[in-house]
Amino acid sequence: MKNQPIKRSEDMKLFSRDHHFGLLFSWKIKQGIANNVATIRMKNYLNFFWDQHLKDHFLDEEVLLFNRFDVEEPCVQAKNDHRQIVNLIDQVNLASQGDYAVYEKLITFLNDHIRFEERVVFPHLEKTLSESTLSSIGHFLESRHDEFKDDYHDEFWK
């Protein structure tokens, strides 16, 4: 049976839209690997994506969602995943030129993390948080959230 689209609360949709950009980032890195692109080009894009999008996305999720449940799974796992992703980004930045394996490890982990949040964490939060809390989160995100513009100059994935 094919996976059905996930019905997401209107107040959580901006997080899901951000996840789309994360999946697209992974696809671009995967294309770079498949085309034997110099890893420095992918590393520069990774740092652009981290600085312009992913860092703030992690902060928003942790402050607005996960920190409400300090000891509750699956929020604890999601926060630990964030730390692991940051660790993998650090590994990429320290890796030797041509080391594609660390990029593959990063994009695999990031994709799995996004799927986990979409399929487990967000449905859990939508059931657990009150409508007024979800609404407050949605209004806050709407007021300060800028959609990521992937205007990176080196389109190595093409």
Side-chain angles (χ1 to χ4, degrees):
M1 182 175 164
K2 188 177 181 219
N3 286 340
Q4 297 296 314
I6 297 172
K7 180 83 169 134
R8 182 67 57 233
S9 157
E10 284 296 319
D11 299 308
M12 299 283 284
K13 281 190 176 177
L14 286 176
F15 285 122
S16 290
R17 199 167 302 134
D18 281 352
H19 286 165
H20 168 75
F21 291 114
L23 295 172
L24 190 57
F25 161 82
S26 293
W27 177 84
K28 290 174 179 180
I29 297 296
K30 188 175 183 176
Q31 292 301 112
I33 293 167
N35 293 322
N36 294 313
V37 168
T39 53
I40 187 68
R41 294 173 69 193
M42 294 187 296
K43 183 190 314 189
N44 289 339
Y45 178 64
L46 164 64
N47 290 316
F48 166 82
F49 187 76
W50 171 253
D51 290 336
Q52 298 298 314
H53 177 67
L54 196 57
K55 179 174 34 173
D56 289 338
H57 172 77
F58 282 2
L59 182 63
D60 285 346
E61 283 184 333
E62 290 180 17
V63 169
L64 296 173
L65 301 174
F66 308 153
N67 288 348
R68 296 171 186 272
F69 304 96
D70 283 335
V71 295
E72 186 172 331
E73 287 291 338
C75 295
V76 171
Q77 181 180 338
K79 284 171 60 173
N80 288 338
D81 283 359
H82 285 182
R83 288 193 240 339
Q84 180 63 24
I85 292 164
V86 170
N87 183 33
L88 289 167
I89 290 169
D90 290 343
Q91 287 178 35
V92 166
N93 280 310
L94 294 172
S96 301
Q97 175 69 12
D99 182 3
Y100 291 115
V102 69
Y103 289 86
E104 290 172 347
K105 191 173 176 185
L106 169 64
I107 63 173
T108 298
F109 194 88
L110 180 62
N111 282 344
D112 290 346
H113 169 73
I114 290 169
R115 303 287 186 220
F116 172 70
E117 284 190 352
E118 288 291 330
R119 294 176 181 157
V120 177
V121 179
F122 288 2
H124 171 75
L125 292 172
E126 288 170 330
K127 281 189 262 180
T128 306
L129 296 172
S130 69
E131 285 295 319
S132 64
T133 300
L134 284 170
S135 181
S136 294
I137 290 168
H139 289 311
F140 180 79
L141 284 174
E142 286 287 333
S143 72
R144 68 172 289 277
H145 190 272
D146 291 323
E147 187 158 308
F148 174 62
K149 280 191 175 33
D150 194 350
D151 55 1
Y152 190 68
H153 65 278
D154 178 7
E155 295 180 330
F156 61 84
W157 52 88
K158 290 188 172 182

